[in-house]
Amino acid sequence: MRGAVWAARRRAGQQWPRSPGPGPGPPPPPPLLLLLLLLLGGASAQYSSDLCSWKGSGLTREARSKEVEQVYLRCSAGSVEWMYPTGALIVNLRPNTFSPAQNLTVCIKPFRDSSGANIYLEKTGELRLLVRDIRGEPGQVQCFSLEQGGLFVEATPQQDISRRTTGFQYELMSGQRGLDLHVLSAPCRPCSDTEVLLAICTSDFVVRGFIEDVTHVPEQQVSVIYLRVSRLHRQKSRVFQPAPEDSGHWLGHVTTLLQCGVRPGHGEFLFTGHVHFGEAQLGCAPRFSDFQRMYRKAEEMGINPCEINME
């Protein structure tokens, strides 16, 4: 609904959502004006025929059109692909769930060759840049709470749009499931005791093991961590497979941000994390001795959120 307001405002000659800047924003329009704008804008809203994914083209618009087009998606995962981008899109993610917006996390992963538009997080007219239009550079996964706003995709000025396509995958998760992935404020900060204890309850994988090797991939801005797992507490999507020598160990790899500077280290760790877009992303990873200490302390105080076999 809010996106229709922007479409109506644009046709009426008003400004698009404002980029971040100093000073207070304009006062909100009166409720009656909002209702009129919604009624005027609703007629041109574009609905997706696929409730999970949307594919559209800027060539269907009038030349140099600046309208804000609506995209409505109601699944927990899907994609958006915008060929020959012109103007802008409001992507409305409204999953068929009873969870309130403040309990939903959205993660987006730009297509490898995505170009032609910037992707913003928008709320009440304010914009925060998530993905910049830089052709040829792989985009990083970005996560945010749905309560923080929605997605605003704005085409960038181009001399030739014939080879431009902006696209991304998205996933919606409930609770804290996605918040340990690429935390924007401090992506490499070690987890607190509380975060570690919660991670063993909510992660897609929880394993005990050793770091065998680390490979840095600068072009993707990630580091790949190869693990030998001695105890498999939980996993999904078969991230870790039995070692070929039938030693009772499992092998697998996880990724983290290149900027975190991960290096091979001695000792045993507890690794937790989530699987996003088919990739295992590292979350909390304390040394196992530190985890034992914090777990036993919480157990004595009766504040463990869930149990794990420490043997």
Side-chain angles (χ1 to χ4, degrees):
M1 295 294 288
R2 183 177 63 200
V5 174
W6 288 120
R9 285 182 178 177
R10 189 60 198 173
R11 284 191 298 277
Q14 299 189 26
Q15 296 181 346
W16 294 33
R18 298 186 298 111
S19 298
L32 180 58
L33 177 57
L34 272 176
L35 178 60
L36 290 173
L37 288 170
L38 288 170
L39 292 174
L40 290 172
S44 64
Q46 300 296 316
Y47 291 84
S48 171
S49 58
D50 184 337
L51 294 180
C52 296
S53 299
W54 179 87
K55 185 175 183 178
S57 170
L59 296 181
T60 60
R61 299 162 177 240
E62 296 180 3
R64 299 184 181 180
S65 169
K66 295 294 183 180
E67 283 192 2
V68 180
E69 186 171 351
Q70 305 296 310
V71 175
Y72 294 87
L73 301 171
R74 304 192 66 85
C75 293
S76 60
S79 64
V80 171
E81 185 176 358
W82 191 20
M83 300 179 294
Y84 320 116
T86 59
L89 301 177
I90 289 283
V91 181
N92 300 277
L93 299 175
R94 296 294 181 267
N96 293 317
T97 175
F98 294 104
S99 299
Q102 63 266 29
N103 292 332
L104 290 175
T105 297
V106 181
C107 290
I108 65 170
K109 181 181 181 180
F111 293 165
R112 179 173 295 274
D113 297 323
S114 178
S115 66
N118 293 324
I119 304 175
Y120 298 90
L121 180 63
E122 182 274 322
K123 186 171 185 179
T124 61
E126 298 294 332
L127 296 177
R128 190 181 83 191
L129 184 64
L130 292 178
V131 181
R132 187 182 299 276
D133 178 19
I134 304 178
R135 191 171 189 180
E137 292 192 10
Q140 297 181 6
V141 174
Q142 301 283 355
C143 296
F144 55 91
S145 167
L146 194 58
E147 190 181 31
Q148 292 179 270
L151 291 172
F152 183 83
V153 187
E154 180 184 15
T156 54
Q158 304 288 341
Q159 294 293 328
D160 179 12
I161 65 171
S162 62
R163 296 185 179 181
R164 304 284 178 170
T165 297
T166 297
F168 59 87
Q169 297 171 272
Y170 73 88
E171 289 182 352
L172 280 83
M173 295 145 285
S174 61
Q176 300 293 312
R177 183 178 176 270
L179 294 183
D180 65 341
L181 174 64
H182 298 177
V183 180
L184 297 180
S185 59
C188 304
R189 173 182 61 82
C191 294
S192 67
D193 289 5
T194 300
E195 289 169 330
V196 171
L197 294 172
L198 286 173
I200 67 172
C201 307
T202 61
S203 295
D204 292 335
F205 61 87
V206 180
V207 300
R208 174 182 171 182
F210 306 86
I211 298 176
E212 287 207 316
D213 195 11
V214 177
T215 300
H216 302 297
V217 189
E219 60 271 19
Q220 298 182 24
Q221 291 297 297
V222 300
S223 296
V224 183
I225 308 168
Y226 296 90
L227 306 179
R228 175 173 288 269
V229 172
S230 58
R231 181 64 183 270
L232 189 66
H233 294 283
R234 180 169 66 254
Q235 76 162 329
K236 66 177 293 186
S237 302
R238 297 181 63 83
V239 174
F240 302 97
Q241 302 284 341
E245 64 269 22
D246 193 24
S247 60
H249 288 184
W250 292 262
L251 300 177
H253 68 270
V254 299
T255 63
T256 191
L257 291 175
L258 180 67
Q259 69 191 70
C260 295
V262 175
R263 293 174 296 179
H266 299 291
E268 195 171 21
F269 295 81
L270 186 78
F271 300 97
T272 70
H274 293 289
V275 178
H276 294 281
F277 309 107
E279 298 179 0
Q281 307 282 346
L282 182 64
C284 298
R287 289 190 175 273
F288 189 70
S289 58
D290 292 335
F291 169 71
Q292 287 177 306
R293 171 192 54 77
M294 67 181 72
Y295 184 85
R296 286 169 179 157
K297 180 180 178 180
E299 195 172 37
E300 291 172 0
M301 299 174 63
I303 58 174
N304 270 351
C306 62
E307 295 184 356
I308 186 172
N309 190 338
M310 297 284 287
E311 297 179 359

